[in-house]
Amino acid sequence: MFEMSHQRLSFLIFFLALVSGFLYNHQYFINGTHVPVRIHDHLEQAPMARTHIYHESNFFWRNGESSPRLLDGNYFEPTGPRFAMQNFAYYYLDAFTAYLVTDTLARILAFVGMFLWLRRLFKKDNRLMLVAMAISAIYSFLPFYHPHIFTITLLPITAWLFMVFYAGDGKARHWVILLVLPFFTAYFFAPFFLLTIIFLVYLFYFLKTKKIHRQFLLAFVLLNLVYMLTEYRFFYVAFFSDEITHRVVRQEVSYGLVESLSNAFKNFEFGHHHVPTLHRVNYSIALVLVAIQFIFFRLRGEALGFYRENKRLLVLFFLTLNLTALVSLFFGIADWNVFKNIHESIPVVGMINIKRFHWLHPLLWYTVWALLVAVVYGILLKKKRAYALAFLVLFTFFHTRFLFDNAAWSGNPSITHGNQTYRNLPTLEQFFAPRQFEQIRDFIGKPQDEYRVVSLGLHPSIALYNGFYCLDGYRSNFYFSYHQQFREIIAPALEKNEELRIYYDNRGNRCYLVDDELNQSFFHWRNHEFTDRSIRNLTVNIDKLYDMGGRYIISAVRIREPGLWLRPLNVFEQDPPEHTNWTIYLYEVVPLHLYPGLKKEREREIKSERRALQNF
């Protein structure tokens, strides 16, 4: 059906990949920053919020000094080369442009990689060319986890390379691609787990055939060695650093066996918000296809012939589906308290989130659908080409429409975290509110490096993005000593709220200013609005906050009774609404413990404010 030269095919695939990348991000190209972007682990963390840090540092070399803009510089930054090429754009472009460039490029590579993987899986059968193209396009439209987007989108290319090397077809270009991969991907998020499965599959075949594939083994060893180079920071922290990080005390939630199995089933059915697959849309289609395979053909007496014709695809389908189920099972079992106690007791290994095999689900699920669709497409193609094309077009259209309806730029993505579902997301402009924070900066009127701020009721990444120096922040790895220092600030709130205490003491990635009245509502907001945009008072250790350099609190909620130690300075209204999502209340931290004379002055100010309100 598709007879064309290799050069023309390569051009066609590259063209379709470009179309896919730009099509998915068309809203960003048209409307710029006035389009929503997912908040959880995107806008609240890396890499967009750290643009100032990137611009002030050397992209190619770390000088061993962490930036005081984030957590007052209390995170590990060793001297040595930088290998994370994904963040290259953020060093030379503004945050939005860098986000758009990396996201578009990642989707282009996702399409190309998935096509190469499926073509090799289909043994370059030209009849299934359109199936490979359709599934590749669908895969490239997934709402990937942006901080490590290349880690996910390059998984199909990694799998394809090892199929090439296993077949002994490796050329110079394949080795070059293999050596480049570690500079764009994070080893302990997905590649480590894919390579583990690849090695186990190879071990099975070795035990069965007693053959050693030198090219395959060389590629496997070489790739792991390069990853050890690019991940030198992890190994330095694990084996040589004297300063311990907060991850050594980090404890994930553990469950009993029944609840662990329940979590495994939920993961198989819904997926995970870090690697959303949105595969439930295919369930009804899958049921129909399975019915066609095992009922329709059996009743007609054609089951044996059907199986023989499609044996290879069906075997691969069931193997991949079973592997997908096993990954979900392990996801649940990894949280089983018995398994977790064993895992966390092993030095170094306990620092790795071992259940991240589920990061392979996008690759696995869309390989499952590709194999299933290929079988049905092949059957219909034998009957009539028009039926086959109609089936493939409808499948692609409905699936793509579903993915587009749940894209971040739609403002209504079907991405959940616990019982929180993201709805009515603010635009990028509204979230970071650069015009509003410029007013705050000008109102304070001091160089930003001369004071530190903390945020209340909104993510510290917003202040960080706008150039402020923050005591608070969200980082997956920072000094344990700072974790304990910051805890002294929020200790009064933690004592009043067990949920907040458990979260901070057992996980603690978010060094946030918290309050019992807010609870964790602003960690994973649903509508990013408060039912009541005020709290009665804020319970923090003011002495510790001031001693650590905190001079101002940037709050999204009004503190009705600020007390003696907080001086209300100004209110920055949510106007115009297209430029900000916030009404910001700015408070100055008053150091009563250092200047006792200020206490009487503050008492007089508060009495005067109350009289004015009564007269009003």
Side-chain angles (χ1 to χ4, degrees):
M1 186 173 180
F2 265 93
E3 296 294 339
M4 62 175 69
S5 66
H6 178 75
Q7 185 176 0
R8 287 185 176 181
L9 177 61
S10 300
F11 176 81
L12 176 62
I13 297 307
F14 183 68
F15 173 76
L16 292 175
L18 283 175
V19 171
S20 295
F22 283 94
L23 180 61
Y24 185 87
N25 285 307
H26 72 281
Q27 288 286 346
Y28 296 119
F29 283 105
I30 296 171
N31 297 308
T33 57
H34 296 286
V35 179
V37 175
R38 181 184 171 186
I39 292 175
H40 178 68
D41 283 344
H42 285 61
L43 299 185
E44 66 169 345
Q45 193 195 21
M48 292 188 71
R50 300 209 292 259
T51 305
H52 280 285
I53 297 176
Y54 291 135
H55 288 177
E56 294 167 355
S57 59
N58 187 308
F59 173 72
F60 297 101
W61 190 262
R62 291 186 176 89
N63 60 10
E65 297 179 2
S66 54
S67 172
R69 290 183 180 273
L70 175 62
L71 299 175
D72 206 22
N74 286 276
Y75 57 90
F76 184 67
E77 189 76 358
T79 300
R82 297 182 186 273
F83 291 124
M85 295 295 109
Q86 175 183 337
N87 296 331
F88 181 84
Y90 290 91
Y91 284 84
Y92 299 103
L93 302 172
D94 64 90
F96 173 71
T97 304
Y99 176 90
L100 189 54
V101 167
T102 53
D103 194 87
T104 303
L105 177 59
R107 295 181 187 283
I108 292 170
L109 294 175
F111 184 103
V112 172
M114 197 66 178
F115 179 81
L116 292 172
W117 161 248
L118 293 178
R119 279 283 284 166
R120 176 67 65 156
L121 213 58
F122 294 156
K123 289 194 169 179
K124 299 184 179 180
D125 187 342
N126 286 333
R127 295 174 307 162
L128 300 177
M129 179 89 71
L130 285 177
V131 175
M133 290 180 181
I135 300 298
S136 299
I138 292 171
Y139 181 76
S140 70
F141 293 149
L142 283 173
F144 296 112
Y145 175 68
H146 197 270
H148 295 290
I149 190 170
F150 286 100
T151 296
I152 307 169
T153 59
L154 291 176
L155 285 176
I157 288 182
T158 307
W160 164 71
L161 281 174
F162 277 95
M163 285 191 72
V164 170
F165 291 129
Y166 188 82
D169 298 333
K171 304 289 193 302
R173 63 179 181 273
H174 298 115
W175 291 103
V176 170
I177 295 172
L178 183 81
L179 294 175
V180 168
L181 283 175
F183 295 92
F184 285 87
T185 54
Y187 187 45
F188 291 108
F189 280 87
F192 171 81
F193 303 98
L194 178 62
L195 291 172
T196 299
I197 291 177
I198 287 173
F199 180 76
L200 292 175
V201 171
Y202 167 75
L203 189 62
F204 172 78
Y205 278 103
F206 171 75
L207 294 174
K208 184 178 179 180
T209 63
K210 306 300 182 183
K211 294 181 180 179
I212 298 177
H213 293 266
R214 289 186 175 84
Q215 193 176 97
F216 179 93
L217 280 179
L218 177 61
F220 182 85
V221 172
L222 186 61
L223 184 59
N224 279 282
L225 287 175
V226 178
Y227 269 123
M228 290 181 69
L229 172 66
T230 60
E231 298 287 346
Y232 73 92
R233 285 192 304 167
F234 171 84
F235 294 103
Y236 183 89
V237 171
F239 297 106
F240 306 107
S241 177
D242 295 329
E243 182 75 52
I244 61 173
T245 70
H246 85 287
R247 295 185 71 90
V248 299
V249 294
R250 177 174 167 176
Q251 296 179 12
E252 297 286 354
V253 178
S254 60
Y255 304 98
L257 182 59
V258 174
E259 196 168 1
S260 297
L261 294 175
S262 175
N263 290 338
F265 179 79
K266 290 176 183 177
N267 179 260
F268 183 76
E269 183 178 8
F270 298 104
H272 190 273
H273 69 98
H274 276 159
V275 278
T277 53
L278 303 181
H279 59 272
R280 293 193 76 203
V281 68
N282 287 316
Y283 280 5
S284 57
I285 300 173
L287 289 174
V288 172
L289 299 184
V290 170
I292 290 173
Q293 293 174 56
F294 298 104
I295 299 176
F296 180 75
F297 285 93
R298 183 174 296 277
L299 292 175
R300 286 175 170 260
E302 300 177 14
L304 190 59
F306 165 74
Y307 177 76
R308 286 173 178 170
E309 291 178 10
N310 300 278
K311 179 180 178 180
R312 181 175 176 276
L313 292 178
L314 286 173
V315 169
L316 286 174
F317 163 74
F318 283 111
L319 286 175
T320 310
L321 184 62
N322 288 333
L323 178 58
T324 305
L326 284 173
V327 166
S328 289
L329 179 62
F330 186 79
F331 175 87
I333 293 298
D335 285 334
W336 181 28
N337 46 30
V338 175
F339 180 91
K340 186 172 287 293
N341 291 337
I342 296 173
H343 165 238
E344 292 179 349
S345 66
I346 304 174
V348 181
V349 176
M351 295 175 64
I352 302 172
N353 189 343
I354 199 69
K355 68 180 182 180
R356 280 199 177 122
F357 279 97
H358 74 275
W359 276 57
L360 306 181
H361 266 155
L363 172 62
L364 293 174
W365 270 118
Y366 285 87
T367 300
V368 166
W369 302 130
L371 292 166
L372 202 52
V373 169
V375 171
V376 176
Y377 180 81
I379 295 169
L380 296 175
L381 200 60
K382 291 177 65 177
K383 302 291 182 182
K384 197 171 184 178
R385 182 178 297 179
Y387 294 161
L389 290 175
F391 161 75
L392 191 59
V393 168
L394 287 173
F395 177 87
T396 306
F397 173 78
F398 285 114
H399 202 132
T400 302
R401 176 64 185 273
F402 177 78
L403 294 179
F404 274 22
D405 286 345
N406 289 283
W409 45 258
S410 70
N412 191 36
S414 179
I415 299 173
T416 60
H417 185 279
N419 61 352
Q420 300 288 326
T421 302
Y422 290 84
R423 302 294 183 204
N424 305 320
L425 297 175
T427 67
L428 189 67
E429 178 85 8
Q430 290 173 324
F431 182 81
F432 283 125
R435 299 186 185 188
Q436 190 179 37
F437 273 78
E438 185 178 355
Q439 295 173 10
I440 297 172
R441 181 199 65 196
D442 293 343
F443 180 86
I444 294 174
K446 303 175 186 177
Q448 288 176 303
D449 61 350
E450 291 184 2
Y451 59 90
R452 300 293 183 264
V453 302
V454 288
S455 300
L456 176 68
L458 71 166
H459 294 288
S461 62
I462 301 171
L464 180 65
Y465 175 90
N466 287 287
F468 288 90
Y469 287 68
C470 305
L471 290 180
D472 47 359
Y474 179 7
R475 191 173 174 90
S476 59
N477 205 355
F478 59 94
Y479 293 146
F480 176 65
S481 57
Y482 190 78
H483 178 273
Q484 295 302 99
Q485 269 189 290
F486 195 88
R487 192 192 190 285
E488 292 183 45
I489 296 176
I490 60 175
L494 300 185
E495 290 173 5
K496 294 168 63 177
N497 190 306
E498 184 67 8
E499 183 182 3
L500 288 174
R501 188 198 66 76
I502 292 174
Y503 180 86
Y504 189 83
D505 288 346
N506 291 355
R507 190 171 180 87
N509 288 352
R510 290 177 175 84
C511 268
Y512 281 19
L513 199 64
V514 294
D515 182 79
D516 181 50
E517 293 182 63
L518 292 180
N519 202 0
Q520 292 189 31
S521 58
F522 64 94
F523 285 8
H524 310 292
W525 285 347
R526 181 173 294 152
N527 294 310
H528 313 284
E529 295 179 354
F530 296 105
T531 304
D532 180 6
R533 285 184 169 273
S534 67
I535 58 175
R536 181 177 178 181
N537 52 49
L538 180 63
T539 308
V540 299
N541 184 336
I542 183 60
D543 291 354
K544 189 64 180 180
L545 175 59
Y546 191 87
D547 289 343
M548 289 178 64
R551 296 297 181 266
Y552 299 96
I553 294 178
I554 299 173
S555 177
V557 294
R558 182 172 69 89
I559 303 172
R560 298 193 299 273
E561 298 179 10
L564 299 175
W565 56 273
L566 280 184
R567 177 184 284 127
L569 295 181
N570 202 356
V571 180
F572 301 85
E573 298 291 345
Q574 190 176 355
D575 182 48
E578 63 267 21
H579 291 306
T580 178
N581 194 57
W582 320 106
T583 295
I584 300 295
Y585 301 85
L586 181 64
Y587 295 91
E588 182 182 11
V589 178
V590 180
L592 298 180
H593 65 297
L594 294 181
Y595 306 102
L598 284 177
K599 183 174 182 180
K600 292 183 178 179
E601 181 183 336
R602 284 291 295 134
E603 287 174 344
R604 287 195 297 269
E605 287 180 6
I606 292 171
K607 288 179 181 178
S608 177
E609 291 169 3
R610 287 174 179 171
R611 281 196 300 268
L613 286 173
Q614 289 172 357
N615 294 333
F616 179 78

